[in-house]
Amino acid sequence: MTAPEDPDAWVHDAFALDGPHTPESVTAAAAAVAELVRYLNRATMTVRLPAPELASTLRNLGVAAARLPQLIDQLHASATRLDEHGEPYSDTDRLDVNELRAQLGRHLGDVRVKSDVEGLRLALDGAASAAGHIGHRYDPASDPEVPANP
């Protein structure tokens, strides 16, 4: 697969920002994010990015991190309204549904979660800024595409 020319349009074709939004489309979008991170993990094992592309990649990941607190807050709100979908129950004998709901609320409402995400965003933004100030001088002798003695 080749990279889409316009990644924003590519994503918006699959997941229209204005909806319709459904539980299935939200779940599918989260799965797509997970797969894209998996792609990046594999791709960056072999691809070494020049400074401009490194800066752009870091900047985009910083934007993604900056958007996570709003998502976490909205998922936390969903967790507090589980009764809207019918009576919740526990599928484990170890914990009752009220304890599971309390755990869900604690995990999503933990202020450290947003603090950790903000730390990640700051680190990515700082790295992007540093990479953005690094240039490369072209050395034809190091280019495998250019014959050494034409």
Side-chain angles (χ1 to χ4, degrees), residues 97-107:
V97 70
N98 291 325
E99 178 56 29
L100 292 169
R101 291 175 76 167
Q103 285 182 16
L104 181 58
R106 281 193 303 272
H107 287 300

PDB file of all heavy atoms in Angstrom, residues 97-107:
ATOM      1  N   VAL A  97     -21.122  -5.613  39.576  1.00  0.00           N
ATOM      2  CA  VAL A  97     -21.149  -4.547  38.575  1.00  0.00           C
ATOM      3  C   VAL A  97     -20.837  -3.183  39.174  1.00  0.00           C
ATOM      4  O   VAL A  97     -20.209  -2.344  38.536  1.00  0.00           O
ATOM      5  CB  VAL A  97     -22.485  -4.542  37.797  1.00  0.00           C
ATOM      6  CG1 VAL A  97     -23.641  -4.082  38.667  1.00  0.00           C
ATOM      7  CG2 VAL A  97     -22.381  -3.685  36.546  1.00  0.00           C
ATOM      8  N   ASN A  98     -21.237  -2.958  40.420  1.00  0.00           N
ATOM      9  CA  ASN A  98     -20.968  -1.652  41.028  1.00  0.00           C
ATOM     10  C   ASN A  98     -19.474  -1.446  41.260  1.00  0.00           C
ATOM     11  O   ASN A  98     -18.962  -0.342  41.067  1.00  0.00           O
ATOM     12  CB  ASN A  98     -21.758  -1.500  42.325  1.00  0.00           C
ATOM     13  CG  ASN A  98     -23.243  -1.386  42.047  1.00  0.00           C
ATOM     14  OD1 ASN A  98     -23.653  -0.802  41.044  1.00  0.00           O
ATOM     15  ND2 ASN A  98     -24.050  -1.967  42.917  1.00  0.00           N
ATOM     16  N   GLU A  99     -18.761  -2.511  41.652  1.00  0.00           N
ATOM     17  CA  GLU A  99     -17.308  -2.394  41.823  1.00  0.00           C
ATOM     18  C   GLU A  99     -16.638  -2.178  40.463  1.00  0.00           C
ATOM     19  O   GLU A  99     -15.712  -1.382  40.340  1.00  0.00           O
ATOM     20  CB  GLU A  99     -16.741  -3.632  42.508  1.00  0.00           C
ATOM     21  CG  GLU A  99     -15.227  -3.600  42.673  1.00  0.00           C
ATOM     22  CD  GLU A  99     -14.664  -2.384  43.411  1.00  0.00           C
ATOM     23  OE1 GLU A  99     -15.353  -1.805  44.272  1.00  0.00           O
ATOM     24  OE2 GLU A  99     -13.523  -1.989  43.115  1.00  0.00           O
ATOM     25  N   LEU A 100     -17.106  -2.878  39.432  1.00  0.00           N
ATOM     26  CA  LEU A 100     -16.550  -2.691  38.085  1.00  0.00           C
ATOM     27  C   LEU A 100     -16.775  -1.267  37.599  1.00  0.00           C
ATOM     28  O   LEU A 100     -15.876  -0.646  37.022  1.00  0.00           O
ATOM     29  CB  LEU A 100     -17.154  -3.695  37.108  1.00  0.00           C
ATOM     30  CG  LEU A 100     -16.760  -5.149  37.342  1.00  0.00           C
ATOM     31  CD1 LEU A 100     -17.625  -6.070  36.490  1.00  0.00           C
ATOM     32  CD2 LEU A 100     -15.285  -5.358  37.028  1.00  0.00           C
ATOM     33  N   ARG A 101     -17.955  -0.740  37.837  1.00  0.00           N
ATOM     34  CA  ARG A 101     -18.253   0.640  37.436  1.00  0.00           C
ATOM     35  C   ARG A 101     -17.380   1.624  38.202  1.00  0.00           C
ATOM     36  O   ARG A 101     -16.902   2.608  37.633  1.00  0.00           O
ATOM     37  CB  ARG A 101     -19.729   0.943  37.634  1.00  0.00           C
ATOM     38  CG  ARG A 101     -20.614   0.175  36.660  1.00  0.00           C
ATOM     39  CD  ARG A 101     -22.050   0.396  36.948  1.00  0.00           C
ATOM     40  NE  ARG A 101     -22.424   1.722  36.472  1.00  0.00           N
ATOM     41  CZ  ARG A 101     -23.675   2.129  36.349  1.00  0.00           C
ATOM     42  NH1 ARG A 101     -24.674   1.339  36.665  1.00  0.00           N
ATOM     43  NH2 ARG A 101     -23.941   3.334  35.903  1.00  0.00           N
ATOM     44  N   ALA A 102     -17.151   1.364  39.477  1.00  0.00           N
ATOM     45  CA  ALA A 102     -16.288   2.235  40.278  1.00  0.00           C
ATOM     46  C   ALA A 102     -14.859   2.200  39.741  1.00  0.00           C
ATOM     47  O   ALA A 102     -14.196   3.248  39.633  1.00  0.00           O
ATOM     48  CB  ALA A 102     -16.333   1.815  41.744  1.00  0.00           C
ATOM     49  N   GLN A 103     -14.370   1.003  39.402  1.00  0.00           N
ATOM     50  CA  GLN A 103     -13.021   0.886  38.834  1.00  0.00           C
ATOM     51  C   GLN A 103     -12.922   1.644  37.515  1.00  0.00           C
ATOM     52  O   GLN A 103     -11.938   2.353  37.271  1.00  0.00           O
ATOM     53  CB  GLN A 103     -12.665  -0.579  38.603  1.00  0.00           C
ATOM     54  CG  GLN A 103     -12.322  -1.345  39.829  1.00  0.00           C
ATOM     55  CD  GLN A 103     -11.941  -2.783  39.502  1.00  0.00           C
ATOM     56  OE1 GLN A 103     -11.650  -3.122  38.359  1.00  0.00           O
ATOM     57  NE2 GLN A 103     -11.933  -3.622  40.521  1.00  0.00           N
ATOM     58  N   LEU A 104     -13.921   1.493  36.668  1.00  0.00           N
ATOM     59  CA  LEU A 104     -13.948   2.189  35.380  1.00  0.00           C
ATOM     60  C   LEU A 104     -13.861   3.687  35.594  1.00  0.00           C
ATOM     61  O   LEU A 104     -13.049   4.376  34.959  1.00  0.00           O
ATOM     62  CB  LEU A 104     -15.227   1.803  34.633  1.00  0.00           C
ATOM     63  CG  LEU A 104     -15.481   2.374  33.262  1.00  0.00           C
ATOM     64  CD1 LEU A 104     -14.356   2.024  32.297  1.00  0.00           C
ATOM     65  CD2 LEU A 104     -16.814   1.861  32.731  1.00  0.00           C
ATOM     66  N   GLY A 105     -14.656   4.207  36.507  1.00  0.00           N
ATOM     67  CA  GLY A 105     -14.630   5.639  36.804  1.00  0.00           C
ATOM     68  C   GLY A 105     -13.298   6.101  37.370  1.00  0.00           C
ATOM     69  O   GLY A 105     -12.802   7.165  37.007  1.00  0.00           O
ATOM     70  N   ARG A 106     -12.716   5.289  38.245  1.00  0.00           N
ATOM     71  CA  ARG A 106     -11.418   5.661  38.826  1.00  0.00           C
ATOM     72  C   ARG A 106     -10.324   5.707  37.764  1.00  0.00           C
ATOM     73  O   ARG A 106      -9.505   6.618  37.752  1.00  0.00           O
ATOM     74  CB  ARG A 106     -11.024   4.681  39.938  1.00  0.00           C
ATOM     75  CG  ARG A 106     -11.719   4.919  41.256  1.00  0.00           C
ATOM     76  CD  ARG A 106     -11.074   4.154  42.402  1.00  0.00           C
ATOM     77  NE  ARG A 106     -11.012   2.722  42.186  1.00  0.00           N
ATOM     78  CZ  ARG A 106     -11.966   1.849  42.511  1.00  0.00           C
ATOM     79  NH1 ARG A 106     -13.083   2.272  43.068  1.00  0.00           N
ATOM     80  NH2 ARG A 106     -11.798   0.551  42.295  1.00  0.00           N
ATOM     81  N   HIS A 107     -10.320   4.733  36.885  1.00  0.00           N
ATOM     82  CA  HIS A 107      -9.271   4.702  35.858  1.00  0.00           C
ATOM     83  C   HIS A 107      -9.400   5.877  34.892  1.00  0.00           C
ATOM     84  O   HIS A 107      -8.405   6.532  34.564  1.00  0.00           O
ATOM     85  CB  HIS A 107      -9.317   3.391  35.076  1.00  0.00           C
ATOM     86  CG  HIS A 107      -8.830   2.214  35.849  1.00  0.00           C
ATOM     87  ND1 HIS A 107      -7.557   2.127  36.351  1.00  0.00           N
ATOM     88  CD2 HIS A 107      -9.451   1.079  36.221  1.00  0.00           C
ATOM     89  CE1 HIS A 107      -7.404   0.990  36.990  1.00  0.00           C
ATOM     90  NE2 HIS A 107      -8.553   0.332  36.933  1.00  0.00           N
TER      91      HIS A 107
END
